[in-house]
Amino acid sequence: ERYEARELADLAWSVADALGWGRLVLMGHSWGGSVALHAAASRPERVRALVLVDSGHLDYADQPDVNLSETLEQLTATAEAARIRTKDRASIAADLELPIDDPVVDAVLEGVIDDGEGGLISRTLGSSRAAAMYHLMRARQSERWAAIAAEQIPTLLLLATEPEDLRVTNEAAAERFRGAVPQAEVRFVEGATHSLITDLRGRFGTIVAEWLGQLRDQAEHRAR
């Protein structure tokens, strides 16, 4: 139950409160986008802006490849079998088709631990991933859109365009999202997969920073 979007949103705000943060920018990718959206909807007065990265714009329960009849035990077995199992840094780089000194390889290494047999295995347990997926499939992002729209929270939605079937899904979902959250700026990022941040790398940070800069400039202009 602690993996429900509502619970995670409350946990995020408890961290912000403990750090003494006031109004802030929320950003989330994939599962994190669902959490960010639920967090923004629960305390909209605390949110300066919302950045959704290929997420938050659809309900996963409505996607054709989602089977809500799968039990938590079945999801756990699938997730456990899917844990990354590799030998070393060189193997990771080869699997990702990246140079061995690429920063993405470092990021993957942060997420693996010694498997006790001379290799590496992903740090996240299958049971944890399964619980996250179980609740993500049941979280209704669309039920939170009205709160975002009502408070006019500035929202940037960045969407993947590859492979083609994901582009088609995103295009249909984006229309519904735009209708519910009219102040949102929706951008389709050419050449980007769901792994949009690692696909764009530095350009991702530039896109978000420039958008936030525009919001700041607009606010300053209105203040004059």
Side-chain angles (χ1 to χ4, degrees):
E1 288 74 20
R2 293 299 304 277
Y3 282 89
E4 290 182 6
R6 180 186 66 254
E7 293 276 351
L8 292 168
D10 289 344
L11 180 60
W13 284 121
S14 71
V15 172
D17 292 342
L19 293 171
W21 293 349
R23 296 182 70 239
L24 44 80
V25 175
L26 284 174
M27 179 169 69
H29 166 244
S30 195
W31 178 38
S34 173
V35 176
L37 184 70
H38 280 77
S42 67
R43 299 194 193 180
E45 74 284 354
R46 295 278 300 276
V47 183
R48 292 174 52 210
L50 177 64
V51 181
L52 300 173
V53 186
D54 210 40
S55 59
H57 62 302
L58 50 75
D59 293 324
Y60 293 99
D62 298 334
Q63 301 310 299
D65 59 341
V66 170
N67 180 7
L68 291 179
S69 67
E70 282 189 290
T71 65
L72 185 56
E73 290 72 22
Q74 289 172 320
L75 289 169
T76 298
T78 300
E80 187 62 31
R83 287 176 74 183
I84 295 173
R85 290 172 171 82
T86 189
K87 182 180 178 182
D88 51 25
R89 183 188 186 96
S91 298
I92 293 172
D95 289 342
L96 296 173
E97 299 181 348
L98 292 172
I100 196 168
D101 59 349
D102 192 285
V104 172
V105 178
D106 292 322
V108 175
L109 280 169
E110 289 290 334
V112 297
I113 56 176
D114 191 328
D115 67 359
E117 299 177 359
L120 301 170
I121 189 169
S122 53
R123 186 183 301 274
T124 304
L125 298 175
S127 56
S128 298
R129 180 174 174 80
M133 294 302 298
Y134 181 88
H135 290 294
L136 177 61
M137 291 190 299
R138 288 159 175 78
R140 286 284 177 179
Q141 281 65 245
S142 61
E143 294 178 357
R144 303 296 181 270
W145 295 345
I148 305 301
E151 293 295 326
Q152 287 289 297
I153 296 174
T155 301
L156 175 64
L157 173 61
L158 300 173
L159 294 175
T161 55
E162 293 187 9
E164 183 61 25
D165 59 344
L166 180 54
R167 178 197 288 269
V168 171
T169 295
N170 277 345
E171 286 177 347
E175 284 305 307
R176 186 180 175 210
F177 183 80
R178 279 193 186 103
V181 189
Q183 81 273 15
E185 181 174 343
V186 179
R187 299 186 193 178
F188 287 87
V189 183
E190 294 301 324
T193 67
H194 183 64
S195 299
L196 195 146
I197 297 174
T198 49
D199 287 344
L200 296 184
R201 308 211 181 184
R203 190 156 68 91
F204 172 79
T206 299
I207 289 171
V208 175
E210 288 180 348
W211 180 75
L212 291 172
Q214 291 171 4
L215 292 182
R216 179 199 60 212
D217 294 344
Q218 291 167 6
E220 291 176 351
H221 179 74
R222 287 193 297 270
R224 297 194 197 102

